[in-house]
Amino acid sequence: MNSRNWALLGATFVALIYGATFTIAKDVMPTYVQPFGLILIRVLGACTLFWLVSIFLPKEKIDKKDFPRIMAAAFFGVAFNQLTFFKGLSYTSPISGAVLMVTAPILVLILSSILLKERLEIKKIFGILIGLTGTSILILYGKSIENAPNANWGNFLVFINASSYAVYLILVKPIAAKYSPLTFIKWIYTFGLLYVLPFGFNEFSAINWHQIPSIIYFEMGYLVVFTTFLAYLINLSAIRILKPTTLSVFIYLQPFFASIIAISLGKDSLNGIKIISAFLIFIGVYLVTKRK
């Protein structure tokens, strides 16, 4: 496969990782770990992994003029992004949280055209709208509302998370084209750790580690290694090749994977609405990723 196909495959794998995250994170919080405490665990764990891996790779120096952009990317892509997402997910249901993320591709499309001067192709616009239709149907008619103590507030926070992620993709594109991913992602997570530390320290300190079952430890490990470390690294590798708009449309696959996983675990049920939604989502992703 050529590099573009590898990037598309990587983006699909990331969507699968995030799809599983919605259900796994709900197992961990808020019963065993509060949302901000879990974010601190994720960021601290991933930051440690990034720095450890970078020791064994060739050294690459970052220009001082790029650090303000890296700091901004750390805020929108790590701190604000994760704080709003996990807090929102603690209030809403896994599938509702997943489908609310679909606003990001539209925001990325608009921001890319304004800031990166990316040409608005009719095919991409049409694909994003079809995908949005599929996820909107899933939101209105096919979502699971179990375990959602304050769904409206939770959904709003997940929408803010989607907006933050859109800004992050735009910010990180020029840096990703200039450096190898590990060169700057370790700095993004270093600044991100400084941002989330004041918010997560109290909840992290309140964790009763002795009462946490073994399976929850494994799920927290998944959130650190897969959802954070691998997902961010693969996405940064993919954005070196793909446009932000193309990469962002893979968010449409997250509710599909989240639904499949929730159904397989008995936490949601399959119906005709979900099948139709999945069909529209895949058409939308196909149109956006298809070359002329």
Side-chain angles (χ1 to χ4, degrees):
M1 287 192 294
N2 59 34
S3 57
R4 188 174 189 275
N5 287 337
W6 276 113
L8 294 173
L9 182 62
T12 304
F13 181 63
V14 169
L16 175 60
I17 290 175
Y18 284 142
T21 297
F22 294 98
T23 298
I24 290 175
K26 289 291 286 186
D27 290 340
V28 178
M29 65 177 194
T31 304
Y32 300 102
V33 183
Q34 293 299 311
F36 289 175
L38 184 58
I39 291 167
L40 183 55
I41 292 173
R42 280 187 63 187
V43 176
L44 178 60
C47 183
T48 303
L49 288 175
F50 284 129
W51 279 97
L52 285 176
V53 173
S54 68
I55 294 174
F56 304 99
L57 297 176
K59 301 297 181 290
E60 193 176 9
K61 190 175 180 180
I62 295 178
D63 291 341
K64 291 182 179 179
K65 63 181 181 180
D66 290 326
F67 273 103
R69 181 178 286 269
I70 288 175
M71 293 172 68
F75 175 78
F76 287 104
V78 177
F80 194 54
N81 176 289
Q82 295 190 26
L83 288 171
T84 52
F85 172 72
F86 276 83
K87 195 68 173 180
L89 190 59
S90 69
Y91 289 122
T92 189
S93 66
I95 292 179
S96 294
V99 296
L100 259 290
M101 281 293 295
V102 301
T103 53
I106 296 174
L107 297 171
V108 171
L109 181 69
I110 295 171
L111 291 175
S112 294
S113 65
I114 296 173
L115 301 177
L116 299 180
K117 309 301 180 185
E118 184 179 322
R119 190 165 62 89
L120 293 177
E121 298 178 19
I122 298 298
K123 175 175 62 67
K124 284 188 176 182
I125 297 173
F126 195 49
I128 286 177
L129 291 177
I130 290 176
L132 179 63
T133 301
T135 49
S136 297
I137 292 173
L138 197 58
I139 292 171
L140 295 174
Y141 300 107
K143 69 179 183 179
S144 171
I145 57 174
E146 295 178 3
N147 196 20
N150 192 348
N152 289 336
W153 176 238
N155 290 340
F156 173 74
L157 289 176
V158 174
F159 170 75
I160 296 299
N161 155 259
S163 304
S164 178
Y165 180 74
V167 174
Y168 163 75
L169 285 181
I170 301 300
L171 286 171
V172 84
K173 175 65 176 177
I175 312 174
K178 190 174 181 180
Y179 306 102
S180 61
L182 266 172
T183 298
F184 63 92
I185 188 61
K186 63 185 181 184
W187 285 108
I188 286 179
Y189 263 82
T190 299
F191 289 116
L193 180 60
L194 296 177
Y195 294 149
V196 303
L197 188 60
F199 296 94
F201 182 76
N202 287 338
E203 292 185 1
F204 178 82
S205 302
I207 298 173
N208 193 337
W209 298 97
H210 298 291
Q211 293 184 356
I212 297 178
S214 298
I215 185 63
I216 300 300
Y217 277 110
F218 281 110
E219 290 183 327
M220 286 194 290
Y222 176 92
L223 295 175
V224 171
V225 176
F226 286 91
T227 305
T228 314
F229 176 75
L230 275 179
Y232 273 77
L233 197 57
I234 293 172
N235 260 345
L236 288 176
S237 300
I239 204 171
R240 292 163 61 90
I241 301 166
L242 304 175
K243 294 180 179 180
T245 306
T246 303
L247 184 60
S248 68
V249 81
F250 281 85
I251 290 175
Y252 286 153
L253 292 177
Q254 292 182 25
F256 169 76
F257 288 133
S259 298
I260 294 298
I261 293 168
I263 290 167
S264 65
L265 295 176
K267 297 185 178 182
D268 197 19
S269 59
L270 181 66
N271 55 39
I273 293 295
K274 291 188 176 72
I275 294 173
I276 294 172
S277 300
F279 179 70
L280 293 173
I281 289 168
F282 275 108
I283 290 177
V285 171
Y286 172 77
L287 288 174
V288 174
T289 57
K290 185 179 182 296
R291 283 180 166 177
K292 291 182 179 179

